[in-house]
Amino acid sequence: MITKRIIPCLDVKDGRVVKGVNFLGLSDVSSPVKLAKFYSENGADELVFYDITASFEKRALFTDILKEVASTIFIPLTVGGGINTIEDFDRVLKCGADKVSVNSGAIKNPDLISKAAQKYGNQCVVLSADVKRVDGKFMLFAKGGRENTGIDAIDWIEKGAKNGAGEIVVNSIDTDGVKGGFDIEMLKAVCDKVNVPVIASGGAGKIDDFVTLFNEIPDIDAGLAASIFHFGEVKISDLKNTLKNNNINVRI
């Protein structure tokens, strides 16, 4: 049985970790270096670091803070934000990232996924998709959830996996920060179409939301969350113990 992963996410803006609701209304949380160290020492299986305004502001990702985070932790690190070229992949990997997450950059240049997979391996390429319901359809959004691309999100994710993305992060804009539970319908739709690991993001509000996620979608590989971990509402050790008691395989 595959071990389910628990992944805290650091949304970084101007060098600080922030968190909002439905991708809006950002509030300051903490230093990314301090939080990363805390999670590395307290049971997180991996860590995701997003420079959330890099694409919108059309600039490169902050590498100084990234280097400090990478040197502080002892768990796999996925990094995204402003990844538009193979050179961006190279720069982020040299800063200490294990995997690189691409979102808006792949929308602008779909070949980026296949080129990066060929150069660095599928396991290094993570396709992150910001998805929202529009007139009953799952649509792909860009620039930190600000812009509707008009692209069918499920088709896009399926193509990304076929082109070499070794992992998919599905960010539900509808449930992001609301703490009402993961978007099970959306995640099932994705898992039905791809054969690579899928990470659920957006909506976790309590431990039971993770239990529901892994029970409802046995194929899902990981649950990602931010504010419930940042604000101490859920301790990763408590979460994992509950999952284990519910016969869900986790690394303790």
Side-chain angles (χ1 to χ4, degrees), residues 4-201:
K4 304 302 184 184
R5 292 172 287 153
I6 303 301
I7 306 174
C9 177
L10 307 181
D11 292 322
V12 180
K13 182 178 187 288
D14 299 328
R16 298 285 293 178
V17 177
V18 296
K19 190 57 193 159
V21 176
N22 300 124
F23 284 34
L24 301 170
L26 298 174
S27 59
D28 185 86
V29 177
S30 183
S31 153
V33 178
K34 287 181 181 178
L35 267 184
K37 185 173 188 291
F38 174 80
Y39 290 134
S40 180
E41 294 172 349
N42 286 275
D45 296 299
E46 297 188 15
L47 194 66
V48 169
F49 177 112
Y50 285 139
D51 184 343
I52 60 171
T53 55
S55 291
F56 181 68
E57 294 170 2
K58 297 180 180 178
R59 59 168 170 76
L61 183 144
F62 293 122
T63 50
D64 51 347
I65 295 168
L66 174 56
K67 285 179 183 176
E68 198 172 351
V69 167
S71 66
T72 302
I73 66 174
F74 300 95
I75 53 177
L77 175 64
T78 298
V79 176
I83 306 297
N84 295 297
T85 64
I86 291 294
E87 289 73 26
D88 289 330
F89 268 81
D90 191 61
R91 182 167 49 85
V92 168
L93 290 168
K94 284 177 177 174
C95 286
D98 299 284
K99 294 182 274 190
V100 181
S101 177
V102 61
N103 188 328
S104 295
I107 296 169
K108 287 181 283 188
N109 177 19
D111 289 341
L112 180 60
I113 295 171
S114 56
K115 288 178 179 177
Q118 288 167 11
K119 184 166 185 178
Y120 300 109
N122 299 54
Q123 80 289 340
C124 183
V125 182
V126 179
L127 176 61
S128 177
D130 296 332
V131 186
K132 185 177 182 178
R133 289 168 181 79
V134 179
D135 297 327
K137 294 182 179 179
F138 296 126
M139 302 303 294
L140 181 71
F141 278 65
K143 296 181 180 175
R146 294 173 178 86
E147 181 181 290
N148 185 353
T149 64
I151 298 169
D152 182 285
I154 307 302
D155 289 348
W156 168 253
I157 290 168
E158 186 178 14
K159 287 176 186 173
K162 287 178 178 175
N163 287 338
E167 195 164 75
I168 309 292
V169 178
V170 184
N171 307 303
S172 172
I173 298 175
D174 293 322
T175 61
D176 177 72
V178 178
K179 300 184 181 179
F182 289 99
D183 198 324
I184 301 297
E185 181 191 17
M186 183 184 292
L187 293 163
K188 280 184 176 178
V190 172
C191 288
D192 285 345
K193 292 289 187 180
V194 302
N195 293 310
V196 297
V198 175
I199 298 170
S201 172

